[in-house]
Each structure stands twice: as C-alpha cells, then as structure tokens.
Amino acid sequence: MIAHGAAPCDAGVLQAGASAAAPCPERARRWVLAASIIGSGMAFLDGSVVNVALPALQAELGVSIRSVQWVVNAYLLMLGALMLVGGSAGDRFGRRRVFVIGIVVFTLASVACGLAPDAEALVFARAVQGVGGALLVPNSLALISAAYPKNERGRAIGTWAGFSALTTALGPVLGGWLVDAFTWRAIFFVNVPVAVVALAAAFLRVPEFRSAAERAPIDGRGALLATSGLGALCWGLTDAAERGWSNPAVLAALAAGVLLLAAFVWSQRVARAPMMPLALFSSRNFSGANAMTLLLYCALSGALFFLPFNLIRLQGYSATAAGAAFLPLTLMMGSLSRWSGGLVARYGARPPLIVGPVIAAVGFALLAAPAVAESYWTSFFPAMIVLGLGMTISVAPLTTVVMSSVDDRHAGTASGINNAVARIAGVLAVALLGAIAVGVFTSSLEARIDALRIAPEVRAAIIAQAPALAEARVPEQVQGFARHAVQFAYDAAFLHGFRVVMLVACALALASALCAAGTIERGK
C-alpha cells in the first residue's frame, strides 16, 4: 500500500527485483534518496556527536573508561547484531515501513538518553537506540538499491555517502558547542527535528518496496545468538583492561562469546530464513568487501573514540574546538564521495580499495605523531586531511561492491550484513583497543611513578586511577612538587597509550588493503 502523496512506481508496493522492468520515475527516486539520506544521517550524526561528548560525560558521571566504553558499545552492539534482522525485515515487511519504525524507536530512545539519571540508564537507552538504528540504517540503503537501476546505483550510493558525511560534518562542532554551552545531555535532543523531517518525507513521498521472496519468519534464534555472542565477547574484552586477561571471568566471557558465535554460524546453515544467508559469502567480492570493512572500520572507530580524549584532556581544546578538529575528515568525505562513487565504473573496485586504505593508514600514523601543545595546523590537521582522503576513496566503492555482489531481492540483507560488520568492527575496536590503551597506560605509568620513589600506599592510589585513562586524577594525599610530577606522568602515559592505539589502527588499515588485493576481483 502506498502512502498518500507518494509518487507511485507503476505499483503501490514494488517488489525488489522488479525495478529494472518497472523503474521508479526520476522524481520518486529523488524523494527516496532524500529520505534515505536524512534518516540515515540522523544515526550518523548521533555517532559523531556522542564521541565529542564522551570526556564531559565521563567527568560529570564520575565513571571509569569501562563505563564510557559501554555507552558507545551498548549502541553499537545492538546496532551490529540486529542490523541483519533489520535488513531482512525490510525485505519481508516493506523497506519504507521498517525504515519509519526505526526512526521512531531511535528518536524516542534519544530522548531517554538525554533524560538518563545515571550511567546505567544511559547505557540501557543507548541499547534501545541501537535497536532503532538496526531497523533504520540498512533499509535506508536498501530503499536506494530498490529504487535505482544498476547503471545509476553507484552514483546514487555515492551521493548517499557524501550527504551522510556532510550531515555528520557539523555534528562534532554542534555537539561540542552544546556540551560547552549547556550539557552533554543536549546532544541527544538534536535527533528530534531531524526525525520529524525524515518521517514527513517517508510518509508523503516514498513508495513501499518489498522483496518478491516468500514471506518467511524472522530469524529470532539467529538474532539471539548473535547478540549474546557479541555481548559476551565485548564484555570479556572490556573487562580484560581492569581484571586482566588471565582472570577466570574474562576467559569465561571470551570463551562463551566464541561458542555462541559459532552456534550462530551453525544456526544460519539450518535456519529456514537465516538473517545472514551464508550463500551470499560464496561471492568472492562480497566476502572480501566485508572482511575489508571489518578491518578498516575497526581502525577508524578506535581512532575516533580516543581522539577526543587527547584533544580535550591532553591538548586542552574546548569541546567545540575538538569537534571542529574533525571537520577536515568529514568535509573531505562529503565533498568527494560522489566522485569516489564513480571510481568503480571507471577503474573497477580493486584499485581504489587498495589505494584508499593505504592512504588512510598514513593518516592514522600521522595521528600518532603530535606531542602536547603543538599547533593544530601542523599536527592534527594534516593527519585528518590524509585520513579523510583515504576513507573517501574507500567508502563509496566498498559499499557499491557489496550491493553489486548480490541480486536485488537480497539487497536489504546484504546492506544489513555490511553495515552490521562495520558496527561490529566498532564494538571490537572500542573494547579491544580500550584494553590495549589501559594496559599500555598502566605499564607506562608504573615505570614513571617508580622513578619518583613514592611511598607504596600512595603509589597504589595513583595506579588505581589507570582505568580512568585521560580522566585520571591525582590523589589528594599527593602534594607539592610530587603532585605536578604525577600529573605529568598521567599525561605522558596517556599520550604513549594513544600513540600505540593509532599505530594499531594503521596496521589494521594496511591489513584491509592487503585483503582487497587478495580478494577483490580485477576488472570494472
């Protein structure tokens, strides 16, 4: 059934896969593209805004880096695990319908985040936000794939990627300003007006699309196994930073995560309607592109999680200035993404998917170079430009390869898988790189504190602050010159940990390029 005012595409409900025979009129396609950009941009905006607010959030709530990790990972976990269900639900029940439901859930959860009284309530609301995003994000891209013929799809996806980047470009600046002028809670309310516009466009102008496949049941068992497995794995990686890798609870969580994820793969082999059809991975391009996505987005997510802490707590930037520091990255991606979407048609997918991650790896390495109090224009700015160029060259061709590797009736599922992989990469990055950062911070801090010859009980109080990372505070019993020395040790230890994390991100980006060289097929 088509919404009142929506431009029909030869039928009230279009079957995905039939668009080549009965394509949407150009005007209807434009509305599909606009609604998809606005809706998905809300989710991307939220991610960029939240990162800049994390230092203020941690300071106000008085929590360790572990709690901050869960503010990010609760959202990414539900988003990544359930996005596969979201894509399949769109194929079955209608992509516009599921897209609209996702916007509503995401917006209500955003309001709950802004009103959360403590860290636990905030984490719960962020998890609900992830559920809404899991319905919203894959179906925004699936709507485009269903509405546009294959010969126009690459540039449409490039436009979607470009405008999504532009939508997020002002996110860090806006979020930083809201944090400085009001409170971190204000950042969650910016989603409300964006949601109103997206809902109006979807209801009034976007036709419905539904897969022509048999209406099979949703894979609830697969969703439960994926969520439980990723949750256990994330819990183990996050707690390893405080409890240690040999802790029985950590080892049990990691083992349970691996077993549950193995059970998830088995369930996908026997399920009547699997949320992640394993047959899709028979395509070398599809498998390679998703492996690339895991590596590249793990690098990017880890870097963007830790960078605001460096800029605000170590470099002394305001939240607004820290948000503005991200502009070169987002503006590069926004202004050049449409161009990069045409690279596949001109050169094939393989060259940009090798060159892009290599350039991004150089950007990550440059982020490891700045010391404290260096000029932004000679330190972080060049790094952001290089990283932005590398990601721009990579993202649109990567998305186009994924969507072009499957037939139209699996567009929503393929989009869900690729987006899920990107978000799962974020979960693993924040958890694993967080553990690495805390470990490096602790060992560096211990070495520096031992050189100060401080009393054992005072030393223990100083080291106990390590899980807070950039928010580590000098204990009250430390006074005089020793207080300044300990603060310097905290700063130096954090900078050392940050540099290690950036170099790990560099290695992951290079691994992504190697993956492209070994898996993405040659040819246009």
Side-chain angles (χ1 to χ4, degrees):
M1 181 175 178
I2 194 166
H4 176 69
C9 303
D10 297 336
V13 177
L14 281 184
Q15 303 295 331
S19 58
C24 275
E26 183 177 355
R27 184 178 179 184
R29 292 200 298 267
R30 289 176 180 174
W31 278 108
V32 169
L33 183 60
S36 298
I37 287 170
I38 297 169
S40 60
M42 180 174 64
F44 300 145
L45 176 69
D46 184 83
S48 63
V49 168
V50 169
N51 277 350
V52 176
L54 291 177
L57 184 154
Q58 183 184 11
E60 181 176 320
L61 296 181
V63 295
S64 70
I65 195 67
R66 179 180 181 273
S67 296
V68 177
Q69 286 175 284
W70 274 111
V71 169
V72 175
N73 276 348
Y75 173 74
L76 292 177
L77 176 63
M78 302 304 291
L79 183 64
L82 299 181
M83 195 174 288
L84 301 171
V85 173
S88 299
D91 287 343
R92 181 189 177 199
F93 297 114
R95 291 165 187 171
R96 188 193 63 172
R97 178 183 299 172
V98 177
F99 175 73
V100 166
I101 293 172
I103 292 175
V104 172
V105 173
F106 189 93
T107 306
L108 293 176
S110 297
V111 174
C113 287
L115 299 175
D118 51 38
E120 290 74 17
L122 177 59
V123 169
F124 177 79
R126 288 283 286 166
V128 178
Q129 241 189 340
V131 175
L135 302 176
L136 160 65
V137 174
N139 285 290
S140 67
L141 193 54
L143 281 169
I144 296 173
S145 293
Y148 281 81
K150 280 193 173 182
N151 62 331
E152 298 181 24
R153 195 172 297 161
R155 289 202 176 275
I157 292 173
T159 303
W160 172 85
F163 273 95
S164 296
L166 286 173
T167 300
T168 61
L170 294 179
V173 181
L174 175 63
W177 176 77
L178 289 172
V179 170
D180 286 337
F182 302 101
T183 170
W184 59 265
R185 298 177 183 277
I187 65 173
F188 293 105
F189 295 111
V190 300
N191 294 324
V192 177
V194 180
V196 170
V197 175
L199 288 172
F203 275 120
L204 296 176
R205 296 294 180 181
V206 175
E208 184 60 282
F209 297 91
R210 185 177 295 128
S211 174
E214 180 185 354
R215 299 186 64 173
I218 297 297
D219 184 13
R221 178 177 61 185
L224 179 61
L225 288 171
T227 305
S228 301
L230 288 170
L233 197 62
C234 181
W235 191 92
L237 291 172
T238 302
D239 264 33
E242 294 187 17
R243 298 171 182 258
W245 292 96
S246 60
N247 182 275
V250 171
L251 293 176
L254 294 175
V258 171
L259 290 175
L260 287 167
L261 290 177
F264 166 72
V265 174
W266 168 82
S267 75
Q268 299 307 284
R269 292 184 178 276
V270 300
R272 177 187 170 192
M275 58 192 268
M276 188 181 76
L278 299 182
L280 296 180
F281 290 90
S282 63
S283 166
R284 184 176 174 182
N285 275 357
F286 185 79
S287 298
N290 279 289
M292 277 193 66
T293 300
L294 182 68
L295 293 166
L296 189 58
Y297 277 83
C298 188
L300 183 66
S301 299
L304 296 186
F305 177 83
F306 285 100
L307 185 56
F309 290 96
N310 187 330
L311 295 174
I312 294 173
R313 298 304 181 211
L314 199 60
Q315 306 296 336
Y317 288 28
S318 66
T320 305
F326 287 88
L327 279 175
L329 170 65
T330 52
L331 291 178
M332 286 281 291
M333 295 182 67
S335 60
L336 297 179
S337 284
R338 184 172 177 83
W339 160 77
S340 69
L343 292 177
V344 174
R346 180 175 296 182
Y347 302 109
R350 198 166 181 268
L353 291 182
I354 294 174
V355 174
V358 170
I359 295 175
V362 175
F364 290 125
L366 290 174
L367 283 174
V372 180
E374 290 189 21
S375 169
Y376 170 77
W377 300 107
T378 59
S379 56
F380 292 102
F381 177 74
M384 299 301 271
I385 289 289
V386 174
L387 178 58
L389 178 61
M391 293 302 300
T392 299
I393 294 174
S394 305
V395 171
L398 183 60
T399 305
T400 303
V401 169
V402 169
M403 301 305 292
S404 300
S405 299
V406 301
D407 56 43
D408 288 346
R409 66 192 180 92
H410 287 126
T413 303
S415 171
I417 290 173
N418 187 245
N419 277 282
V421 169
R423 273 61 190 183
I424 290 167
V427 172
L428 296 176
V430 172
L432 180 58
L433 295 183
I436 292 173
V438 172
V440 173
F441 180 93
T442 303
S443 61
S444 177
L445 180 63
E446 288 176 342
R448 294 174 185 277
I449 294 302
D450 288 343
L452 297 178
R453 302 181 183 278
I454 291 178
E457 63 276 11
V458 178
R459 179 186 184 278
I462 294 170
I463 301 301
Q465 288 286 313
L469 286 182
E471 286 295 328
R473 293 291 179 262
V474 181
E476 290 295 330
Q477 60 264 46
V478 181
Q479 297 295 328
F481 173 79
R483 190 171 187 85
H484 295 288
V486 171
Q487 184 60 60
F488 179 82
Y490 280 149
D491 293 343
F494 177 79
L495 181 61
H496 182 47
F498 176 82
R499 285 172 167 168
V500 170
V501 167
M502 294 304 110
L503 293 177
V504 172
C506 173
L508 289 170
L510 290 175
S512 179
L514 290 174
C515 180
T519 59
I520 304 300
E521 297 173 356
R522 297 178 184 271
K524 297 183 180 180

